[in-house]
Amino acid sequence: MTTGAPSAADSTAADPDRPALRRRLDGRLLGGVAAGLADHLRLDVLHVRVAFALLSGIAGFGVALYGALWVVVPVESPTERAEAAGLAAASRAGRRPWRATRRGDLGQLVAFGAFGLGLVLLLNTVGAGLPLLVLVPLLIAAAGLALLWSQADATERARLLPPQLTPDGAARGGRAARLLTVVRVVGGLALVGVAVLVFLVGSGRQTAVGEALVLLVVVGLGLALVVGPLLWRLLRQLEDERRERLLTQQRADVAAHLHDSVLQTLALIQRKAQDPRAVVALARAQERDLRIWLFEPEAARRSTLRAELEDTAAQVEQAHGVPVEVVVVGDCPLDGRLPALVRAAREAMVNAARHSGAPVVDVFAECVGDSVEVFVRDRGKGFDPATVPADRMGLAGSVVGRMERHGGTARVRSAPGEGTEVSLSMPRPQPGAAATEEEDA
Amino acid sequence: MTQQGSRRVRVLVVDDHAMFRSGVRTEIGDAVEVVGEAADVEEAVTAVVQLQPDVVLLDVHLPGGGGVEVLRRCAHQGVPARFLALSVSDAAQDVIGVIRAGARGYVTKTITGDELVAAIGRVADGDAVFSPRLAGFVLDAFAGAAEVPSVDPELDLLSAREREVMRLIARGYAYKEVARELFISVKTVETHVSSVLRKLQLSSRHELTAWAADRRLL
């Protein structure tokens, strides 16, 4: 099962962001176990499903494993994802589309089931499998339990989703939903009962002691399996509530802090109402602050090229009062010679903000493959590179010189009235190579 | 910009913040005809069907399932209106989401009134509006496509020219400047951008959908 094609994620150092093992509600065939497992292990869902079907051939082991995981692994919840606060809030309020809880292809499920069953029967005819006496009740019981558990999932899903997005929500067919519940529970119980009966009737030839023992075990097992889901849900729910309470308190603190900072900015804006530049600068600084908090996940605020460039742009903007817009494609850790690249980009931004007279500076960075490119562009007055004025010597020295010292290249393109664009390019250290680069002051 | 005779472009503003709606109305009210406003998905769909606007300014985050839901339901009804996404959110997966659902462009709410009017005109003409940020998202979404063998390479890859156009837009170039830089006409730039939009909407590339999920882990 080698599907893990070397993706962009592999090239960026370690990978702490493996998704937790959760049953997935969308794209599932049965309980979402295979889909969740595939996410967690970064495998193809199809391969995981085939593996389950294959394992089922070995005395129904796959079925048992699937059942066990279904019981133990909790279902995913929308709030559990490490989402930025603003997005999580928008999700809860139903202002974003909740990923459709679409089921996988039913035909696929039937195919897998038939495949697994075929394997079991094949092994049986060879004489290596379970006796039919055990197998048939086992399969019937499995079907019954699947029904019971799918009911438990339906209630949990209703609890997790915003009301208007619940697929079979109470808002729509309330009676139909209830009927479905009854059918599921009764059907599931009946199937488990039938399985127990079939087993007992079938094993009627056993000795009395053995029979009593088996009866005890089977009844106990059946009871545990039927009551188990309820108990398990209850425990999970308690745990969830505790966590929710903690989260609520945390959110209240953050909201309070946020409101304070916004209020302060608004007060400052009122006081500086005569100075439009100051007002714009204040508004943009506050906007950036909020935006980062609301829309950027915690993980993105690590020391990466993207974070560093955005930070630098914010500083330049604050110091010179000219908006600096940053667009970054891809991202990579800030290793090797990249700090030098960011410093060169900073010089270019400062130059544009200070001398071009342009109302805005655009920064674009692309971190794809084995090099990083940064473009700093303004639509200001520009200059003739052939007759460099004294104040532009800084650009040649600090940008071009710095880049060349660190093994990169820099190009300055400008013409009077056309604005200026500085293009920077720096090779990226290969993941294997030792990145030993001296820091320049 | 469309100025079919003296008829002004009819615009519907969909946003759940009343203050923002009235702000947009005053900013663009002279250049286009604002025919109505809506504050959630339900209202928006009704308004689109009843008022038959040329262009709908659509907020990405909207009560009732977001802008995507409006696009989906309007597509069912087969309305001729064109949609321009307008948002304060920079969440890439949401922006790409509304584009894939059928919006013809995306601009941020900090856009100036004149730029917004120009963007509305472009969308009304059936062209696509790519801000630097959207171009960045698109490059991100299609990045690494060359390594992945796929069923339909036509749709899954940007051509070298399209990639070049996207990069220039991401670098802050206006369509006119892109045209001059590449020695092509503005019309050709628009054709490239529309083609990128089409690929974005039609590609069923696994990576493109997985990308949205992966990106929040970045």
Side-chain angles (χ1 to χ4, degrees):
Chain A
M1 252 174 269
T2 51
T3 44
S7 64
D10 297 354
S11 60
T12 57
D15 170 29
D17 300 317
R18 178 182 291 275
L21 182 54
R22 292 281 182 273
R23 285 189 290 118
R24 247 182 47 194
L25 288 178
D26 63 326
R28 75 205 163 104
L29 289 182
L30 206 59
V33 171
L37 203 61
D39 276 356
H40 180 63
L41 298 177
R42 302 252 157 107
L43 292 173
D44 193 327
V45 159
L46 189 66
H47 293 173
V48 177
R49 285 184 180 139
V50 169
F52 271 121
L54 276 175
L55 285 176
S56 300
I58 309 169
F61 180 60
V63 174
L65 186 66
Y66 193 99
L69 285 173
W70 195 344
V71 174
V72 174
V73 176
V75 75
E76 69 170 0
S77 93
T79 50
E80 219 170 317
R81 296 176 170 282
E83 262 182 346
L87 294 183
S91 296
R92 272 195 301 280
R95 294 168 67 232
R96 296 177 76 206
W98 163 247
R99 283 180 304 146
T101 55
R102 201 179 313 129
R103 280 207 160 215
D105 190 5
L106 199 67
Q108 218 189 349
L109 178 61
V110 174
F112 278 123
F115 181 56
L117 193 65
L119 254 170
V120 171
L121 293 178
L122 184 76
L123 283 178
N124 263 341
T125 49
V126 178
L130 280 177
L132 230 55
L133 171 60
V134 181
L135 185 69
V136 171
L138 196 75
L139 286 178
I140 298 176
L145 289 174
L147 259 181
L148 281 174
W149 278 93
S150 71
Q151 170 53 32
D153 272 358
T155 37
E156 183 149 8
R157 195 163 63 240
R159 193 168 61 79
L160 290 175
L161 291 184
Q164 67 268 43
L165 294 177
T166 320
D168 42 9
R172 241 171 274 166
R175 274 181 59 190
R178 242 172 298 151
L179 194 67
L180 199 63
T181 305
V182 173
V183 168
R184 274 172 172 163
V185 172
V186 170
L189 282 174
L191 279 174
V192 173
V194 166
V196 172
L197 261 176
V198 168
F199 181 76
L200 289 179
V201 169
S203 65
R205 283 168 298 152
Q206 304 209 344
T207 61
V209 178
E211 204 174 317
L213 215 87
V214 167
L215 183 73
L216 210 67
V217 169
V218 165
V219 169
L221 219 69
L223 260 178
L225 284 173
V226 171
V227 183
L230 296 174
L231 277 177
W232 177 256
R233 297 292 133 176
L234 204 67
L235 279 175
R236 283 269 317 154
Q237 220 156 1
L238 281 175
E239 172 65 18
D240 278 357
E241 268 165 27
R242 201 178 59 85
R243 202 171 45 203
E244 190 61 34
R245 223 174 22 244
L246 278 175
L247 269 178
T248 312
Q249 289 166 358
Q250 222 172 2
R251 286 201 194 105
D253 288 350
V254 178
H257 167 79
L258 213 61
H259 280 113
D260 281 354
S261 70
V262 174
L263 282 180
Q264 213 136 47
T265 306
L266 287 176
L268 276 172
I269 285 179
Q270 288 173 40
R271 222 177 315 145
K272 300 206 172 184
Q274 288 77 23
D275 183 354
R277 257 175 99 98
V279 169
V280 170
L282 277 169
R284 279 192 59 94
Q286 184 61 63
E287 185 200 327
R288 197 167 42 238
D289 201 45
L290 277 177
R291 195 186 285 282
I292 287 174
W293 189 80
L294 285 174
F295 298 120
E296 268 165 44
E298 202 82 48
R301 281 174 239 161
R302 291 182 296 222
S303 170
T304 62
L305 179 74
R306 181 190 295 266
E308 202 62 25
L309 270 177
E310 280 171 358
D311 223 41
T312 306
Q315 288 165 15
V316 173
E317 184 174 316
Q318 206 126 40
H320 300 278
V322 178
V324 181
E325 299 282 359
V326 183
V327 173
V328 182
V329 170
D331 203 358
C332 50
L334 203 66
D335 51 12
R337 307 148 168 170
L338 295 187
L341 176 68
V342 172
R343 275 193 295 271
R346 180 200 189 91
E347 285 305 318
M349 288 181 220
V350 168
N351 247 286
R354 196 186 284 161
H355 302 295
S356 74
V360 61
V361 178
D362 284 299
V363 177
F364 171 64
E366 198 172 23
C367 179
V368 176
D370 50 8
S371 77
V372 180
E373 290 188 290
V374 179
F375 300 87
V376 179
R377 179 186 151 81
D378 67 67
R379 286 210 192 80
K381 56 181 183 242
F383 62 97
D384 184 353
T387 60
V388 184
D391 65 338
R392 287 288 174 153
M393 281 307 283
L395 200 59
S398 61
V399 176
V400 180
R402 188 193 294 271
M403 288 301 288
E404 279 168 3
R405 268 205 308 284
H406 288 85
T409 55
R411 208 162 47 99
V412 180
R413 247 180 51 175
S414 187
E418 300 266 291
T420 306
E421 185 173 57
V422 179
S423 328
L424 310 170
S425 173
M426 186 73 92
R428 245 172 59 67
Q430 290 311 302
T436 45
E437 283 293 325
E438 80 287 17
E439 277 285 297
D440 81 336
Chain B
M1 225 170 294
T2 350
Q3 225 68 314
Q4 299 146 340
S6 62
R7 192 178 157 275
R8 295 192 300 169
V9 179
R10 293 159 47 81
V11 176
L12 175 73
V13 183
V14 180
D15 196 296
D16 55 333
H17 294 109
M19 207 149 77
F20 182 79
R21 289 200 305 269
S22 62
V24 167
R25 198 186 257 274
T26 47
E27 258 190 339
I28 65 173
D30 291 335
V32 301
E33 186 188 348
V34 179
V35 291
E37 296 176 8
D40 59 34
V41 169
E42 221 49 68
E43 276 179 44
V45 176
T46 317
V48 171
V49 171
Q50 278 178 359
L51 301 173
Q52 299 282 329
D54 300 318
V55 175
V56 181
L57 287 183
L58 186 63
D59 195 4
V60 173
H61 289 165
L62 207 58
V68 171
E69 188 63 25
V70 177
L71 283 159
R72 200 177 294 136
R73 285 210 230 160
C74 286
H76 277 307
Q77 313 245 12
V79 289
R82 294 183 168 121
F83 293 82
L84 174 62
L86 182 68
S87 168
V88 73
S89 152
D90 277 341
Q93 68 267 33
D94 291 355
V95 174
I96 295 285
V98 289
I99 298 290
R100 274 175 72 86
R104 297 204 59 84
Y106 164 72
V107 291
T108 47
K109 280 183 177 174
T110 44
I111 191 173
T112 65
D114 291 343
E115 284 174 326
L116 184 55
V117 169
I120 289 171
R122 249 180 226 292
V123 170
D125 279 349
D127 288 322
V129 173
F130 275 38
S131 56
R133 201 163 288 282
L134 177 56
F137 289 162
V138 170
L139 284 170
D140 239 353
F142 279 102
E147 303 158 15
V148 187
S150 68
V151 205
D152 191 354
E154 276 290 285
L155 280 177
D156 290 355
L157 295 175
L158 299 182
S159 72
R161 243 312 136 76
E162 285 159 1
R163 193 173 287 274
E164 238 173 322
V165 170
M166 281 297 116
R167 291 188 85 215
L168 285 171
I169 292 175
R171 274 156 71 177
Y173 284 58
Y175 285 14
K176 215 169 28 188
E177 294 165 319
V178 174
R180 208 174 43 188
E181 177 78 19
L182 299 178
F183 303 107
I184 54 182
S185 69
V186 173
K187 201 68 224 161
T188 311
V189 174
E190 281 167 355
T191 310
H192 283 311
V193 173
S194 292
S195 147
V196 172
L197 187 82
R198 193 179 59 89
K199 287 183 179 179
L200 205 57
Q201 288 169 348
L202 295 186
S203 171
S204 58
R205 208 178 127 207
H206 173 62
E207 282 67 34
L208 207 57
T209 34
W211 168 84
D214 282 350
R215 197 170 180 297
R216 54 181 134 189
L217 300 173
L218 245 173

